Short mmCIF file of all heavy atoms in Angstrom, two decimals:
data_model
loop_
_atom_site.label_atom_id
_atom_site.label_comp_id
_atom_site.label_asym_id
_atom_site.label_seq_id
_atom_site.Cartn_x
_atom_site.Cartn_y
_atom_site.Cartn_z
N ILE A 205 -39.80 20.48 -26.65
CA ILE A 205 -40.24 19.13 -27.01
C ILE A 205 -41.14 19.19 -28.25
O ILE A 205 -40.95 18.42 -29.20
CB ILE A 205 -40.97 18.46 -25.84
CG1 ILE A 205 -40.02 18.29 -24.65
CG2 ILE A 205 -41.54 17.11 -26.26
CD1 ILE A 205 -40.68 17.76 -23.39
N VAL A 206 -42.11 20.09 -28.23
CA VAL A 206 -43.03 20.22 -29.36
C VAL A 206 -42.28 20.60 -30.63
O VAL A 206 -42.54 20.08 -31.72
CB VAL A 206 -44.13 21.26 -29.05
CG1 VAL A 206 -44.96 21.57 -30.30
CG2 VAL A 206 -45.04 20.75 -27.93
N GLY A 207 -41.30 21.50 -30.49
CA GLY A 207 -40.52 21.93 -31.65
C GLY A 207 -39.67 20.82 -32.25
O GLY A 207 -39.39 20.81 -33.45
N TRP A 208 -39.29 19.85 -31.43
CA TRP A 208 -38.45 18.74 -31.89
C TRP A 208 -39.23 17.80 -32.82
O TRP A 208 -38.70 17.30 -33.80
CB TRP A 208 -37.92 17.97 -30.68
CG TRP A 208 -37.07 16.78 -30.96
CD1 TRP A 208 -37.35 15.49 -30.64
CD2 TRP A 208 -35.77 16.76 -31.59
NE1 TRP A 208 -36.32 14.66 -31.03
CE2 TRP A 208 -35.34 15.41 -31.62
CE3 TRP A 208 -34.96 17.73 -32.14
CZ2 TRP A 208 -34.12 15.03 -32.16
CZ3 TRP A 208 -33.74 17.36 -32.68
CH2 TRP A 208 -33.33 16.01 -32.69
N TYR A 209 -40.52 17.60 -32.52
CA TYR A 209 -41.33 16.68 -33.33
C TYR A 209 -42.26 17.42 -34.30
O TYR A 209 -42.69 16.84 -35.30
CB TYR A 209 -42.17 15.78 -32.42
CG TYR A 209 -41.37 15.01 -31.41
CD1 TYR A 209 -41.23 15.48 -30.11
CD2 TYR A 209 -40.72 13.84 -31.76
CE1 TYR A 209 -40.48 14.79 -29.17
CE2 TYR A 209 -39.97 13.14 -30.83
CZ TYR A 209 -39.85 13.63 -29.54
OH TYR A 209 -39.10 12.95 -28.62
N GLY A 210 -42.58 18.67 -33.98
CA GLY A 210 -43.53 19.41 -34.81
C GLY A 210 -43.04 19.57 -36.24
O GLY A 210 -41.87 19.78 -36.51
N GLY A 211 -43.94 19.44 -37.18
CA GLY A 211 -43.59 19.56 -38.59
C GLY A 211 -42.98 18.31 -39.19
O GLY A 211 -42.59 18.30 -40.35
N CYS A 212 -42.89 17.24 -38.39
CA CYS A 212 -42.28 15.99 -38.87
C CYS A 212 -43.31 14.89 -39.13
O CYS A 212 -42.92 13.78 -39.52
CB CYS A 212 -41.26 15.48 -37.85
SG CYS A 212 -39.91 16.62 -37.54
N PHE A 213 -44.57 15.16 -38.91
CA PHE A 213 -45.59 14.13 -39.06
C PHE A 213 -46.04 14.00 -40.52
O PHE A 213 -46.04 14.98 -41.27
CB PHE A 213 -46.79 14.44 -38.18
CG PHE A 213 -46.49 14.41 -36.72
CD1 PHE A 213 -46.22 15.59 -36.03
CD2 PHE A 213 -46.45 13.21 -36.03
CE1 PHE A 213 -45.93 15.57 -34.68
CE2 PHE A 213 -46.17 13.18 -34.68
CZ PHE A 213 -45.90 14.36 -34.00
N LYS A 214 -46.39 12.80 -40.89
CA LYS A 214 -46.95 12.58 -42.22
C LYS A 214 -48.29 13.31 -42.32
O LYS A 214 -49.00 13.46 -41.33
CB LYS A 214 -47.15 11.08 -42.48
CG LYS A 214 -45.84 10.30 -42.56
CD LYS A 214 -46.09 8.82 -42.81
CE LYS A 214 -44.78 8.04 -42.86
NZ LYS A 214 -45.01 6.59 -43.07
N GLU A 215 -48.61 13.75 -43.51
CA GLU A 215 -49.82 14.52 -43.73
C GLU A 215 -51.06 13.72 -43.29
O GLU A 215 -51.22 12.54 -43.66
CB GLU A 215 -49.94 14.91 -45.20
CG GLU A 215 -51.06 15.89 -45.48
CD GLU A 215 -51.07 16.36 -46.92
OE1 GLU A 215 -50.10 16.05 -47.65
OE2 GLU A 215 -52.05 17.01 -47.32
N GLY A 216 -51.88 14.34 -42.50
CA GLY A 216 -53.08 13.69 -42.00
C GLY A 216 -52.85 12.89 -40.74
O GLY A 216 -53.80 12.34 -40.16
N LYS A 217 -51.60 12.78 -40.26
CA LYS A 217 -51.28 12.00 -39.05
C LYS A 217 -50.72 12.89 -37.94
O LYS A 217 -50.10 12.41 -37.00
CB LYS A 217 -50.24 10.92 -39.38
CG LYS A 217 -50.67 9.94 -40.47
CD LYS A 217 -51.80 9.05 -40.01
CE LYS A 217 -52.15 8.01 -41.09
NZ LYS A 217 -53.25 7.13 -40.65
N GLU A 218 -50.95 14.20 -38.03
CA GLU A 218 -50.38 15.14 -37.07
C GLU A 218 -50.92 14.90 -35.66
O GLU A 218 -52.07 14.48 -35.48
CB GLU A 218 -50.68 16.59 -37.48
CG GLU A 218 -50.02 17.03 -38.78
CD GLU A 218 -50.81 16.65 -40.02
OE1 GLU A 218 -51.86 15.97 -39.85
OE2 GLU A 218 -50.40 17.02 -41.14
N MET A 219 -50.07 15.17 -34.68
CA MET A 219 -50.46 15.08 -33.28
C MET A 219 -50.58 16.50 -32.72
O MET A 219 -49.85 17.40 -33.13
CB MET A 219 -49.40 14.31 -32.46
CG MET A 219 -49.26 12.85 -32.86
SD MET A 219 -47.88 12.03 -31.97
CE MET A 219 -48.49 12.03 -30.29
#
Side-chain angles (χ1 to χ4, degrees):
I205 297 174
V206 170
W208 179 243
Y209 304 97
C212 299
F213 295 97
K214 294 179 181 178
E215 189 175 350
K217 302 292 184 180
E218 294 85 356
M219 295 174 67

